[in-house]
Amino acid sequence: MRLATAEIDLSALSYNLKRTKALAPNSKVMAVLKANAYGHGLVTIAQHLHDADAFAVARIDEALALRAGGVTKPIVLLEGFFNQSDVSILLANNFQTIIHDENQLGMLEQAQLDAPIATWLKVDTGMHRLGIAPAQLSAFYQRLKKTENAKPAVYLMTHFPCADDVKNDRTAQQIREFKQLTLNYNEPLCLANSAGILGWRDSHCDWIRPGLMIYGVSPMLHCIGKDHGLKAVMRLTTKVIAIRSILSGEYVGYGGRWQSEKNTQLAIVAMGYGDGYPRHAKHGTPVVIKGERYGIVGSVSMDMITVDIGDNDGMIQVGDDVEMWGRALPVEEVAACADTIPYELLCNITPRVSYEYIE
Ligand SMILES: *Cc1c(COP(=O)(O)O)cnc(C)c1O
């Protein structure tokens, strides 16, 4: 019996990419595949995003895994590179790199290369994580234009910290400032992550960088993917492995954190934090069995979760499927019940979970 399984709907993936392109019809798409394609499986996801113009990852190892899997599209490294010796790896594998600080630019200039590398110059317009200050743009740009190690086109990019909140006008301010700053540079611009694409039309520009939304999930506050016409790609399921009765007043699970107020039945389901399900999912977090929602009770343990199924009357049986999140139960909703964001739930899926790809 197959227990914890992540069903990955590849037709939903293609559908979401199409939907993304419809929302930003004049932009090229850099599909973001970091963290194992947000837990969906790096190479398989890349192989099914035929219509993306490029891919982005965070680490060189992720980019090398894509090449090893036969992926030939351009790959952009969102954090750039870290050592002088990395530069020749970038060239050999046709990787493109972010340049976000003096250190990286210096290493690029000093490298002995037979051919140039494509660069994306990252400007910090308010995230204060990576990126050069707006006042440094001109100097960095001139140096990239001058070095023979950088290709002539220098893409200009920035990133949003607050685009998930359409009421926060910092994003509009960032867009204005970045456009103003780059006005006299005749280069391609790239601003929008998923939240930019969904919430801020002015941010679309030449390139977009969708991550979460191509997996059918919404980054926007209080929204689910369906609100934007997206379809959830992952369905995380498992099975009921036991059913038992408990009496009113009995405690359930580690720490006896939940006490039943009535005689009831529990379904024990084979899923826990060892599979990546959040241990902090609170009492009442829904799961779906036979089309109905039931709440979890007690602590999530490593391998199992207890679900209160009430009177049951033989409706639910050992071996029944349980959806932990998916089309019937948005991962956004489960994330809210665990005080986290859907990004974290998706990329926390552990290697114990089997993947099943459906077309
Ligand atoms: C992760 C990431 C993205 C994609 O973000 P989503 O919110 O998943 O769309 C885009 N740009 C950068 C720089 C990132 O790190």
Side-chain angles (χ1 to χ4, degrees):
M1 182 158 86
R2 192 173 236 194
L3 298 175
T5 304
E7 274 177 33
I8 307 295
D9 180 345
L10 294 166
S11 63
L13 180 77
S14 318
Y15 180 91
N16 294 334
L17 180 58
K18 233 183 239 128
R19 173 85 186 123
T20 303
K21 290 173 96 120
L23 288 167
N26 303 316
S27 308
K28 289 194 170 180
V29 177
M30 182 196 300
V32 181
L33 304 180
K34 62 198 181 188
N36 195 30
Y38 293 48
H40 291 69
L42 178 65
V43 171
T44 312
I45 294 298
Q47 284 164 342
H48 286 83
L49 287 171
H50 307 287
D51 295 337
D53 299 288
F55 295 133
V57 292
R59 308 281 155 79
I60 291 184
D61 285 352
E62 296 173 321
L64 288 170
L66 284 171
R67 288 285 180 257
V71 172
T72 56
K73 281 188 202 292
I75 301 174
V76 180
L77 299 170
L78 291 174
E79 297 170 0
F81 57 94
F82 306 99
N83 299 301
Q84 186 69 59
S85 58
D86 291 338
V87 185
S88 51
I89 299 175
L90 304 196
L91 180 62
N93 292 281
N94 190 24
F95 297 157
Q96 307 188 2
T97 187
I98 300 293
I99 296 289
H100 67 74
D101 72 357
E102 170 62 39
N103 220 358
Q104 285 180 331
L105 179 56
M107 287 191 278
L108 181 67
E109 287 172 329
Q110 274 152 41
Q112 303 289 327
L113 300 178
D114 301 330
I117 289 172
T119 60
W120 298 71
L121 183 53
K122 182 158 188 174
V123 183
D124 177 12
T125 54
M127 175 89 175
H128 298 139
R129 192 175 61 180
L130 295 183
I132 58 169
Q136 296 175 293
L137 174 60
S138 163
F140 270 70
Y141 181 78
Q142 300 304 331
R143 281 169 67 187
L144 281 171
K145 283 291 183 187
K146 201 160 150 232
T147 175
E148 289 184 350
N149 288 339
K151 284 192 175 167
V154 174
Y155 300 87
L156 301 175
M157 64 176 285
T158 195
H159 194 46
F160 299 135
C162 305
D164 57 329
D165 179 2
V166 292
K167 297 206 177 85
N168 186 330
D169 36 74
R170 277 171 68 188
T171 307
Q173 196 180 328
Q174 277 185 286
I175 297 168
R176 265 197 316 276
E177 282 176 15
F178 188 68
K179 286 188 173 174
Q180 183 63 36
L181 184 71
T182 55
L183 198 59
N184 297 320
Y185 295 75
N186 191 19
E187 302 287 1
L189 303 184
C190 178
L191 295 80
N193 52 2
S194 296
I197 296 161
L198 293 166
W200 306 88
R201 185 175 294 266
D202 287 352
S203 72
H204 294 177
C205 300
D206 303 287
W207 282 82
I208 52 174
R209 304 189 303 275
L212 193 66
M213 69 183 292
I214 57 178
Y215 309 101
V217 179
S218 176
M220 308 308 280
L221 292 179
H222 318 300
C223 285
I224 60 170
K226 204 169 150 203
D227 300 335
H228 316 296
L230 301 167
K231 295 181 182 172
V233 173
M234 184 190 291
R235 181 167 176 264
L236 183 67
T237 67
T238 188
K239 307 268 192 207
V240 174
I241 57 167
I243 307 249
R244 47 171 310 165
S245 301
I246 58 161
L247 298 174
S248 177
E250 288 184 316
Y251 293 91
V252 173
Y254 284 118
R257 295 241 311 269
W258 183 75
Q259 183 180 28
S260 186
E261 288 172 358
K262 56 183 182 355
N263 295 348
T264 190
Q265 294 215 306
L266 299 180
I268 317 304
V269 308
M271 170 75 58
Y273 60 81
D275 303 290
Y277 192 87
R279 199 177 78 85
H280 295 291
K282 64 178 185 244
H283 167 74
T285 301
V287 303
V288 175
I289 309 173
K290 291 208 157 111
E292 296 283 334
R293 287 181 173 215
Y294 299 91
I296 72 172
V297 294
S299 330
V300 171
S301 39
M302 188 185 291
D303 313 311
M304 286 174 268
I305 295 174
T306 40
V307 177
D308 186 353
I309 54 174
D311 291 341
N312 188 32
D313 284 337
M315 247 275 289
I316 295 173
Q317 296 182 342
V318 170
D320 281 348
D321 278 314
V322 186
E323 180 172 312
M324 309 307 290
W325 62 67
R327 208 68 74 77
L329 176 55
V331 65
E332 295 91 332
E333 194 178 330
V334 180
C337 290
D339 279 330
T340 185
I341 52 175
Y343 296 84
E344 186 183 30
L345 296 193
L346 295 174
C347 63
N348 271 356
I349 301 287
T350 70
R352 185 166 80 183
V353 175
S354 327
Y355 280 76
E356 194 178 302
Y357 290 92
I358 50 181
E359 297 281 340

